Every structure is written in structure tokens, then in C-alpha cells.
Amino acid sequence: MIKIAISGAAGRIGRTMFKSLIGSTEFEAVFGVDVNGADDLPYPVYKSFDAAPLDADVVIDFSSPAALDDILAYAVRTGAKLVLATTGYSPEQEKRVEAISHDVPVFRASNMSLGVNLLGNLAKEAAKFLGEDYDIEIVETHHNRKLDSPSGTALTLADEINSVREGSLEYTYGRHAAKHRREPNEIGIHAVRGGTVVGKHEIMFLGTGEVITLMHESENKEVFVRGALRAAKFLMTKTSGLYNMTSIIAQNYAVTSVRSEKDVALVTLPHIPFDEFLGLLDAIKQSGVNLDMISHHFNSDDTAAVSFTLDDASLSKVEGCIPTGLVSKTLRGAAKITAEGAGMEHKSGVAADVLTALRGAGAEVFAITTSEKQISCCIDAKSLSAAEAAVKSYYGIK
Ligand SMILES: NC(=O)c1ccc[n+]([C@@H]2O[C@H](COP(=O)([O-])OP(=O)(O)OC[C@H]3O[C@@H](n4cnc5c(N)ncnc54)[C@H](O)[C@@H]3O)[C@@H](O)[C@H]2O)c1
């Protein structure tokens, strides 16, 4: 059982957390801490960590930035791991969190929901795709008791979008005092407060004649509790370091889908001058054939070695484009297996793991290409189903 101390125990999320731990076979709430105390909870709640027992494995904090010193002191005293979900830390507090992570493992996320993390990734893709012609505005809505604004999540989303624009965007918080036109390099961030809304984030991409909106809404507080408990479990194998949702995505989402294709041809030209290679690509383009996995490297004699795959049916057209006199090797009737995952770019060793799984399945690998989120291998066709099963099994994909 992982022993959990809940900081902010009497608050909305603290109470939800306690309820969700009742009957858990994995986690046990050993005590709570809340500056206001709480008499109505059936487990001990202390007013500060000074008075608390020393046996918590993980402190999960949903309280206030004012609690940070007390929590950090407890972690130093006891070695407890920290899941810090409170928002609104000052830059100086963020630095202290970073400093303590050299000694104890710390998980820090302004939003513990996996869906919001996906929203950030989608927003980055949209910002890349749409380029600078679209204005970007973020609107967040929360219940009327939220203390900080804009939300930590809105700021994290803005930072993610800004990373795609190489930090060139200026943040504009509301526009009530503005007496000038919007600048192209602004990102507007707006906070709406009211009612009982758990948390809603909209990212608007406003172009000429169209608006694209990406939106995430948390329907209940359990989503944050589930994320925080997942983070607690993740920290149990760590002895130090600063982690966030990307760390969990890297661990669990390195490969989430495996696709296979049959009737693949592989063409290899071991010695082709680069200009002739460009000419060949142009001729293939004119013939209307789509090439797939293209790899190229220079030989020591200044020629290039190139390989590419295509579908078997188009092979004769491509063979007709290869200049006479060039040595080429062609393999017909091969197969292709592609592993994909959003966490791949954050995890090292995925290619090694995929290739080991393919080898274990007896596959012969003829060519490999990789990108941030994808590894493709051209393999022999007879091993295809065993290879697909091996990679899926390694990554727990059904
Ligand atoms: N990261 C996430 O996914 C996520 C999700 C929801 C909320 N939050 C954040 O968690 C925090 C709490 O949210 P909430 O809705 O439960 O708020 P809340 O106001 O309902 O609860 C906060 C609790 O913390 C206690 N508290 C305040 N100062 C304290 C201190 N110095 N020491 C100990 N306890 C203290 C309060 O008495 C209160 O009971 C906020 O910062 C909120 O933004 C984060």
C-alpha cells in the first residue's frame, strides 16, 4: 500500500481525494493537513506538517502556495515524495521546487488530467499547421471560488503554443484597458469565473473568415484525483527528479498503435551520385508514384546510398525511372510494420525495444526509418503477424 498524506485535506479536491481512497487496495490515506483543520473527516487532519506523523510515502498537495514551505520541510525531514498540484506558485517558489527535486522526487503539474495534456499537444500541432496568419486566444472558465487567475493550465497551454513560435508571443491578460488594435504577436488569455464549473479551457485560432476552437472541459474533480494518484504511483520508482505529465506520457504512451502493411517493395541504390538521386526522385514524381520510407547517406566515394519503399504494384514504374548502368537491388513482396505513439519523442530507447521485439519474433529487418512519433521497419512478409504481435505485446496493446 502506498501511504498518502493529503495536503489541503479539507478543501474541494482534498475531500474528493479522501473519498476516492476509501476501500483502495493500492493507496492508503494516512493523514491530512489543512491550515483550517477539519473535525468532520474520519482520519487525522493536522494544521501543519510539523505535528504530522513521519510515515507518508507521498504527499499529494491540493492546497495553496502558502503551504509550500511546510511541505518542503516535511519532505526534507522524511524523504516523502511530492505530488504538487497547487497552482499559483511564484517564480521563486518554482525554483525552490526545482531545487528540492535534486533530493526527493517531485511531480508538478498545473493540470493532472491527461485530456488537458492532449489539448496542449493538439494546440501545438494546430499552431504549427496554421502558422502566423491566425490569432490565438485562450479562454478559461472556473468556479466562483477559484483564487488564482488566469488558471495555471491556461498559462501552461500558452507556454506550449509559444514554444512552437520560439517564444515570440507576448501574453495579453484581458483587454479591458486596451485602446489599441491587437498586435499579431499577442496571445490573449482571459479568465471567466462563476458557478460550479470544474474547469474549461478553450483555445481559439482566429483566421480570415474562420475560427477553429480546441476545447477541454473537466466534468468532475475525480479526473484530477485520478491523475494525482497515478503521479504518486509513478514516483514510487524514483529517488529524485522533477517530473510532469509528459513523464507519464513517455512511460505509458511511447507506442500506442502498431500498423502493418503487406505487398511492399524495397529499392536500394548503393552508389548513386546525389544529383542523379534528385533526378530519379523527380522522374518518380512525374510518374505519380508515392514513395514511403526514404533513407539516404553519403558513401566515402561521394556517392549516396539510398533506399525507399513503395507498394509492389508501382514497382515497375519506378524501375523504369532508374538510370541505366546504376546498380540497384529490388525486393518485392516485403512488409512494413509501423509503431506510433505520442510519448515516443520523450522516451529514449524505443527503437531498441521495437527492434528487439522484432528480432524475438524472428523478423528479418531490411530498412528502418524514424521520426518523433513513429518508427517504421521494412521486414520479411512471412514474419509480419508474429512481429506485430510481439511489438503489441511488449507495449501492452490489445
Ligand atoms: N493540478 C491540478 O490538476 C489541479 C486541479 C484542481 C485544483 N488545483 C489546485 O489545487 C488547489 C486547491 O484547489 P481546491 O479547489 O481544492 O481549493 P479549496 O480552496 O477548496 O481547498 C484548499 C484547501 O487548502 C487549505 N489551505 C490553504 N492554505 C493552506 C496552508 N498554508 N496549509 C495547509 N492547507 C492550506 C484550505 O484551508 C482549503 O481547505 C488550488 O491551487 C487549485 O488551483 C489543481
Side-chain angles (χ1 to χ4, degrees):
M1 289 281 250
I2 302 173
K3 293 179 178 171
I4 303 287
I6 303 173
S7 168
R12 279 176 294 263
I13 309 283
R15 287 174 185 274
T16 310
M17 168 88 59
F18 178 67
K19 268 191 223 147
S20 79
L21 290 182
I22 295 170
S24 168
T25 52
E26 246 182 322
F27 303 98
E28 179 193 1
V30 282
F31 65 87
V33 171
D34 198 293
V35 73
N36 289 322
D39 296 334
D40 58 333
L41 285 167
Y43 78 131
V45 175
Y46 302 91
K47 291 199 172 176
S48 93
F49 277 92
D50 280 345
L54 306 179
D55 60 343
D57 295 318
V58 184
V59 174
I60 299 184
D61 174 53
F62 284 93
S63 63
S64 147
L68 184 64
D69 286 345
D70 194 23
I71 296 167
L72 296 187
Y74 182 79
V76 169
R77 265 198 316 278
T78 65
K81 302 164 198 299
L82 301 178
V83 175
L84 301 177
T86 292
T87 56
Y89 285 163
S90 67
E92 192 276 328
Q93 285 181 309
E94 295 286 1
K95 274 193 199 141
R96 268 188 288 145
V97 169
E98 205 274 326
I100 200 173
S101 72
H102 297 292
D103 301 317
V104 296
V106 181
F107 194 99
R108 177 92 186 99
S110 61
N111 197 305
M112 291 284 167
S113 121
L114 198 64
V116 157
N117 227 273
L118 173 63
L119 180 73
N121 284 331
L122 293 174
K124 277 167 51 176
E125 289 304 315
K128 277 187 219 163
F129 183 91
L130 297 170
E132 296 182 10
D133 289 343
Y134 285 69
D135 299 323
I136 307 173
E137 301 273 313
I138 298 175
V139 183
E140 56 97 345
T141 309
H142 282 85
H143 53 87
N144 56 19
R145 296 173 71 187
K146 185 165 175 62
L147 296 179
D148 53 323
S149 68
S151 69
T153 305
L155 292 171
T156 303
L157 291 168
D159 288 347
E160 286 178 319
I161 293 166
N162 206 9
S163 70
V164 172
R165 296 280 188 87
E166 286 160 0
S168 64
L169 295 172
E170 301 281 338
Y171 299 1
T172 300
Y173 301 102
R175 294 187 194 281
H176 62 283
K179 297 273 182 291
H180 55 82
R181 287 175 54 169
R182 189 189 196 284
E183 298 294 334
N185 68 335
E186 282 178 28
I187 179 163
I189 304 175
H190 312 277
V192 179
R193 292 289 172 270
T196 53
V197 180
V198 176
K200 182 174 171 186
H201 291 88
E202 290 163 272
I203 305 167
M204 304 167 80
F205 295 85
L206 303 105
T208 307
E210 64 177 358
V211 177
I212 300 136
T213 304
L214 299 175
M215 196 266 279
H216 175 274
E217 184 159 8
S218 303
E219 292 181 344
N220 54 45
K221 296 185 270 298
E222 280 78 10
V223 72
F224 307 125
V225 167
R226 268 199 304 280
L229 291 173
R230 197 174 190 182
K233 200 167 157 186
F234 172 88
L235 288 186
M236 289 309 286
T237 57
K238 313 287 182 227
T239 51
S240 62
L242 187 57
Y243 303 94
N244 55 29
M245 287 306 282
T246 303
S247 320
I248 288 191
I249 288 172
Q251 181 166 291
N252 298 298
Y253 297 86
V255 173
T256 47
S257 85
V258 180
R259 286 182 286 114
S260 54
E261 276 170 54
K262 286 183 184 160
D263 303 323
V264 172
L266 173 70
V267 176
T268 301
L269 298 138
H271 290 278
I272 179 169
F274 191 66
D275 284 345
E276 280 193 46
F277 176 44
L278 288 182
L280 172 61
L281 287 182
D282 195 46
I284 294 171
K285 175 178 151 189
Q286 305 304 330
S287 73
V289 172
N290 276 352
L291 297 185
D292 189 9
M293 304 166 56
I294 302 178
S295 80
H296 156 277
H297 70 259
F298 278 114
N299 298 314
S300 54
D301 63 359
D302 282 347
T303 62
V306 300
S307 293
F308 47 80
T309 60
L310 61 152
D311 61 300
D312 268 344
S314 307
L315 185 59
S316 55
K317 274 193 194 170
V318 167
E319 282 174 331
C321 300
I322 296 175
T324 43
L326 269 184
V327 176
S328 67
K329 282 194 259 176
T330 301
L331 187 68
R332 199 185 275 277
K336 185 181 145 193
I337 185 157
T338 301
E340 276 179 295
M344 195 179 288
E345 62 184 312
H346 306 294
K347 187 168 170 67
S348 59
V350 180
D353 293 341
V354 168
L355 289 173
T356 304
L358 293 182
R359 167 58 64 88
E364 208 178 337
V365 179
F366 306 126
I368 308 163
T369 55
T370 63
S371 67
E372 282 178 349
K373 295 184 173 66
Q374 199 176 78
I375 294 174
S376 296
C377 298
C378 179
I379 66 171
D380 65 289
K382 69 178 185 324
S383 308
L384 186 60
S385 54
E388 185 176 342
V391 179
K392 282 186 170 170
S393 150
Y394 185 83
Y395 287 102
I397 301 167
K398 294 197 183 76

